[in-house]
Each structure stands twice: as C-alpha cells, then as structure tokens.
C-alpha cells in the first residue's frame, strides 16, 4: 500500500513495506544534508500508534508527517525541504514503546 498526501507547501508520501522477518524500531534520513527532498525510512517493531514529527533547532514543531496506527513493518516517507529555511532540524519518531530522533541539516 502507498499513501500520498498533499498539504500546503509540503508533499510527502508514506510507503509501507511488510517484512517477513522481525523488524526493529529504527530511523534513517537521507540525503543529509538535504536541499530538496528528504527520504525518511523507519521501522516499527510493535504495532501501535506512531508519530513522526520535524522540529527546528529551537524545539518548535515544524511538521507532523505521520500520526496514527501503523502495523509492524518498515516504512518510507518523502518530505519536501524546499520550503524549510536553512538550518538544523530534528526528526522524531515516537512509537508506543520507543522514541528515536535524528538530526538533518537543510542547505539550499
């Protein structure tokens, strides 16, 4: 299954990839630094509510990318960085069991 959502100036999609072997919760961002489209890949080890958000360096929430129930598996999201100002951002993945964060640098 694949979902594509258009919201304001951001465009992103969520692609679900079901895995047959155990999945661990993880978070990968590429390219980093980014100037155009950022690909966020993540794993959900235990089905449940998942929230994926972007925060700026001051801690202000910039974008909620995913919010809702997701089954165990790996996922991929594309986020347009064209409308983000140059700087450092934090991508935070929160599942029912864990919270992970990674830093991404936006440079145009």
């Amino acid at each position: 299954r694949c979902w594509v959502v258009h919201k304001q100036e951001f465009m992103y999609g969520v692609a679900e990839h079901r895995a047959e072997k155990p999945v661990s919760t993880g978070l990968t961002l590429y390219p980093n630094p980014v100037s155009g489209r950022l690909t966020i890949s993540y794993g959900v080890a235990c089905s449940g509510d998942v929230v994926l958000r972007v925060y700026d360096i001051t801690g202000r929430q910039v974008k909620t990318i995913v919010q809702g129930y997701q089954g165990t598996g790996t996922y991929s999201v594309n986020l347009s960085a064209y409308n983000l100002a140059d700087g450092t951002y934090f991508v935070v993945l929160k599942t029912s069991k864990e919270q992970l964060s990674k830093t991404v640098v936006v440079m145009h």
Side-chain angles (χ1 to χ4, degrees):
R1 291 181 274 181
C2 181
W3 300 271
V4 177
V5 181
H6 298 273
K7 281 191 170 185
Q8 298 172 350
E9 68 277 0
F10 296 96
M11 183 186 123
Y12 52 88
V14 178
E16 176 183 14
H17 308 282
R18 294 263 179 196
E20 292 182 14
K21 54 185 170 175
V23 174
S24 63
T25 301
L27 181 61
T28 305
L29 312 176
Y30 58 92
N32 193 3
V34 64
S35 61
R37 186 178 71 179
L38 175 67
T39 299
I40 304 168
S41 297
Y42 61 98
V44 176
C46 189
S47 298
D49 289 331
V50 174
V51 178
L52 184 64
R53 290 191 172 124
V54 179
Y55 297 88
D56 67 14
I57 194 74
T58 67
R60 182 180 61 90
Q61 181 181 316
V62 174
K63 191 74 182 162
T64 298
I65 301 168
V66 173
Q67 184 170 0
Y69 181 89
Q70 288 188 321
T72 300
T74 57
Y75 299 83
S76 182
V77 177
N78 292 314
L79 175 68
S80 173
Y82 292 111
N83 295 313
L84 295 176
D86 287 0
T88 302
Y89 294 85
F90 301 99
V91 178
V92 178
L93 172 66
K94 184 176 181 182
T95 70
S96 57
K97 304 260 183 207
E98 298 179 69
Q99 181 169 310
L100 302 172
S101 67
K102 295 273 179 127
T103 303
V104 64
V105 175
V106 174
M107 293 174 38
H108 298 288

